[in-house]
């Protein structure tokens, strides 16, 4: 090949190589990011790997969260509930922010796999009414449960005594509803300081059982009284009938009646 042609082809060859290299880099670096939900992106904050999905209009917990994430922000979305094993692939997670969602239900085992490392869990400003303490089993994180429409009952009392609340957040746990009207609108810790809701529930249950048992007992007694009276009335009528018969027939009928009674 003449030298002139080699000189002309060299820039073309270099351009093709650069283009191929650029496409390779784009394929390696940008493809994983394309798998993230719209509005979500990874970053690094204070040396911790962070994954942010704030205000991303999510309706469920994303599945493609990097498993080396230390801080996860899912706040200000539309997530309605947390299913079992929602975060099981995040063994290094330290902080989890689920505040300002529409969470009304948390399945048992939703936080399974986070017990060893998670130290901060924010569930404030959701739609939580009641959660079983089992949903937080073995969880050592400090939890924020404020600004939810709580039903103040024994279940909430057990939950609050099981988890460690974020400092200063307990005042935000307010009774939105309660079996006792005077508790509505009050801070929950103030309520349980004066009343053991689990003991009240036990007493109420015991009274209900006693009332039920008394009702059944009264029904049995009423039936027995009715049965005896009915038999007495039948016997009286039969005796009157026997008295109206001729003496010979009457004695025969009386003997038959006595035999039947015996």
């Amino acid at each position: 090949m003449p030298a002139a042609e080699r000189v002309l082809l060299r820039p073309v060859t270099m351009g093709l190589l650069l283009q191929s290299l650029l496409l390779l880099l784009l394929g390696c670096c940008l493809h994983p990011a394309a798998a993230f939900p719209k509005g979500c992106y990874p970053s690094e904050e204070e040396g911790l790997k962070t994954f942010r999905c704030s205000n991303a209009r999510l309706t469920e917990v994303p599945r493609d969260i990097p498993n080396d994430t230390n801080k996860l922000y899912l706040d200000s979305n539309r997530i309605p509930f947390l299913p079992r094993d929602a975060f099981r692939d995040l063994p290094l997670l330290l902080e989890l922010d689920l505040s300002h969602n529409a969470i009304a239900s948390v399945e048992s085992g939703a936080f399974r796999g986070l017990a060893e490392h998670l130290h901060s869990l924010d569930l404030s400003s959701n739609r939580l009414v009641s959660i079983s303490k089992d949903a937080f089993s073995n969880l050592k994180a400090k939890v924020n449960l404020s600004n939810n429409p709580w039903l103040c009952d024994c279940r909430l009392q057990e939950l609050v005594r099981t988890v460690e609340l974020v400092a200063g957040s307990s005042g935000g746990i307010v009774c939105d509803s309660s079996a006792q009207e005077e508790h509505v609108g009050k801070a929950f810790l103030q309520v349980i300081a004066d009343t053991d809701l689990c003991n009240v529930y036990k007493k109420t249950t015991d009274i209900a059982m006693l009332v039920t048992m008394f009702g059944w007992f009264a029904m049995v007694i009423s039936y027995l009284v009715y049965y005896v009276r009915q038999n007495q009335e039948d016997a009286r009528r039969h005796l009157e009938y026997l008295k109206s018969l001729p003496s010979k027939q009457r004695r025969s009928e009386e003997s038959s009646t006595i035999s039947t009674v015996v």
Side-chain angles (χ1 to χ4, degrees):
M1 179 181 294
E5 291 184 6
R6 287 200 299 271
V7 171
L8 291 173
L9 289 174
R10 188 176 299 167
V12 176
T13 304
M14 291 297 296
L16 291 173
L17 287 173
L18 288 173
Q19 184 178 2
S20 299
L21 181 61
L22 181 60
L23 290 174
L24 181 63
L25 289 173
L26 289 173
C28 292
C29 300
L30 297 183
H31 178 71
F36 298 150
K38 184 178 179 181
C40 299
Y41 61 92
S43 64
E44 189 166 325
E45 300 177 6
E46 300 177 351
L48 297 175
K49 293 188 177 181
T50 303
F51 192 73
R52 286 190 173 273
C53 288
S54 304
N55 291 294
R57 299 183 179 181
L58 298 177
T59 55
E60 62 180 2
V61 176
R63 298 180 182 179
D64 299 316
I65 302 171
N67 56 17
D68 60 349
T69 298
N70 303 129
K71 299 170 69 175
L72 176 58
Y73 292 89
L74 299 174
D75 57 298
S76 303
N77 283 290
R78 304 170 184 174
I79 300 172
F81 77 102
L82 300 178
R84 184 187 303 271
D85 295 322
F87 308 98
R88 67 178 179 179
D89 296 326
L90 302 172
L92 303 180
L93 196 62
L94 302 175
E95 297 181 18
L96 176 57
D97 189 347
L98 291 160
S99 63
H100 297 89
N101 273 281
I103 300 171
S105 174
V106 178
E107 289 188 0
S108 180
F111 304 110
R112 186 160 48 193
L114 303 181
E116 295 301 322
H117 301 283
L118 193 70
H119 64 71
S120 177
L121 172 60
D122 194 344
L123 284 167
S124 63
S125 301
N126 276 283
R127 298 178 184 174
L128 296 170
V129 175
S130 181
I131 309 180
S132 170
K133 64 179 181 179
D134 296 335
F136 299 87
S137 180
N138 300 320
L139 202 63
K140 299 174 183 178
K142 293 183 179 180
V143 184
N144 188 345
L145 299 172
S146 62
N147 300 319
N148 282 281
W150 290 110
L151 166 63
C152 290
D153 59 1
C154 178
R155 201 178 193 194
L156 181 58
Q157 179 173 309
E158 290 180 338
L159 172 63
V160 168
R161 290 179 175 176
T162 299
V163 302
E164 182 180 358
L165 298 175
V166 172
S169 69
S170 59
I173 304 176
V174 178
C175 299
D176 187 72
S177 59
S178 174
Q180 300 180 25
E181 192 65 29
E182 65 270 19
H183 294 162
V184 176
K186 290 185 178 180
F188 184 64
L189 291 191
Q190 178 186 347
V191 170
I192 59 176
D194 301 328
T195 308
D196 186 343
L197 295 180
C198 292
N199 192 40
V200 169
Y201 174 78
K202 185 176 182 301
K203 288 182 178 178
T204 303
T205 303
D206 290 344
I207 291 172
M209 290 180 64
L210 287 173
V211 170
T212 302
M213 291 175 64
F214 179 78
W216 279 105
F217 182 73
M219 289 176 62
V220 171
I221 294 299
S222 299
Y223 175 77
L224 289 175
V225 170
Y226 170 79
Y227 180 79
V228 170
R229 288 182 176 177
Q230 187 67 30
N231 284 348
Q232 288 177 342
E233 183 66 20
D234 290 343
R236 184 184 64 79
R237 290 175 181 173
H238 190 64
L239 288 174
E240 289 179 354
Y241 167 73
L242 292 176
K243 289 178 181 179
S244 66
L245 295 175
S247 58
K248 186 175 180 180
Q249 185 179 359
R250 184 173 61 208
R251 283 196 298 270
S252 176
E253 291 286 345
E254 286 176 350
S255 299
S256 178
T257 302
I258 291 171
S259 298
T260 303
V261 172
V262 172

